[in-house]
Amino acid sequence: LPIYEIDLHLHPKWQRKVLDYIRHKLPKFQLIATTHSPLLAQQAQEGELFTLKRSSRGRIMLEAFRGTPNQLLVHQLLLSPVFDVETDESLAVEQLKKRYETLKKRKDVPQEQVRLLADQIDQLPQNQRSNMIYDAEQISLLQDIKAELKARKGE
């Protein structure tokens, strides 16, 4: 049974429940559904989530999601390669931070302007979430790289 954009017009609360509802009501059905909703994708079990990707040659390829979507937090799935989103911040916040990073590196920009942007960023809610998609070995490697970069910066 193919359903295109199964989440279309569904409240987020129902997006989280629709797959279980279908599984319960139609246990013998094979369901193929498309979605752009991380809330719905999060309900998929291991081996049930796939993405369509376009290769550099223009071919469409089907890729299986590695992992168990229904064990991830929504932001983890949203920030995974499935959705190809770099941040869960608003576009305005993302642009503010990019502007700050750009101006901070320039010598011709008054420091007061850079400080004002830094103050605006400091007033924003802080992202305290972690992305547990990485395994312990990857996290350890990233921490080692970070420590090495800090050490070199201090030289």
Side-chain angles (χ1 to χ4, degrees):
L1 171 67
I3 303 175
Y4 301 100
E5 295 297 331
I6 190 171
D7 56 288
L8 201 58
H9 305 295
L10 287 180
H11 185 279
K13 185 176 182 177
W14 278 98
Q15 289 180 28
R16 296 186 72 220
K17 295 179 178 183
V18 69
L19 288 184
D20 280 340
Y21 179 83
I22 292 171
R23 282 185 185 112
H24 178 0
K25 294 293 182 180
L26 305 167
K28 305 255 187 225
F29 267 52
Q30 178 183 22
L31 176 67
I32 299 171
T34 62
T35 186
H36 289 97
S37 168
L39 291 169
L40 188 90
Q42 182 193 36
Q43 306 318 305
Q45 297 171 0
E46 187 172 10
E48 291 183 341
L49 183 61
F50 295 83
T51 58
L52 294 174
K53 298 280 184 180
R54 187 176 304 273
S55 74
S56 58
R57 294 182 174 185
R59 294 189 61 203
I60 304 291
M61 300 176 306
L62 184 68
E63 293 181 5
F65 180 79
R66 291 176 36 188
T68 309
N70 65 2
Q71 293 181 1
L72 298 176
L73 299 173
V74 172
H75 81 277
Q76 292 172 320
L77 194 56
L78 181 65
L79 298 174
S80 76
V82 170
F83 288 95
D84 199 26
V85 174
E86 294 178 18
T87 179
D88 61 352
E89 296 172 320
S90 72
L91 187 57
V93 170
E94 181 181 8
Q95 290 170 344
L96 176 69
K97 288 182 176 182
K98 283 182 180 178
R99 180 170 163 77
Y100 168 76
E101 289 299 325
T102 300
L103 294 181
K104 180 172 82 167
K105 295 174 187 172
R106 291 182 41 190
K107 302 288 186 213
D108 62 331
V109 175
Q111 287 303 303
E112 182 59 26
Q113 188 177 358
V114 175
R115 267 194 299 281
L116 285 172
L117 289 174
D119 289 344
Q120 288 178 1
I121 292 169
D122 285 343
Q123 298 301 314
L124 296 170
Q126 298 302 309
N127 182 348
Q128 298 298 320
R129 297 185 299 254
S130 64
N131 195 340
M132 299 302 291
I133 291 175
Y134 301 111
D135 63 31
E137 187 176 334
Q138 290 170 316
I139 291 171
S140 176
L141 176 61
L142 289 171
Q143 289 171 337
D144 291 345
I145 292 169
K146 183 178 179 181
E148 179 69 25
L149 290 172
K150 275 187 174 180
R152 287 184 184 187
K153 197 174 187 179
E155 290 178 346

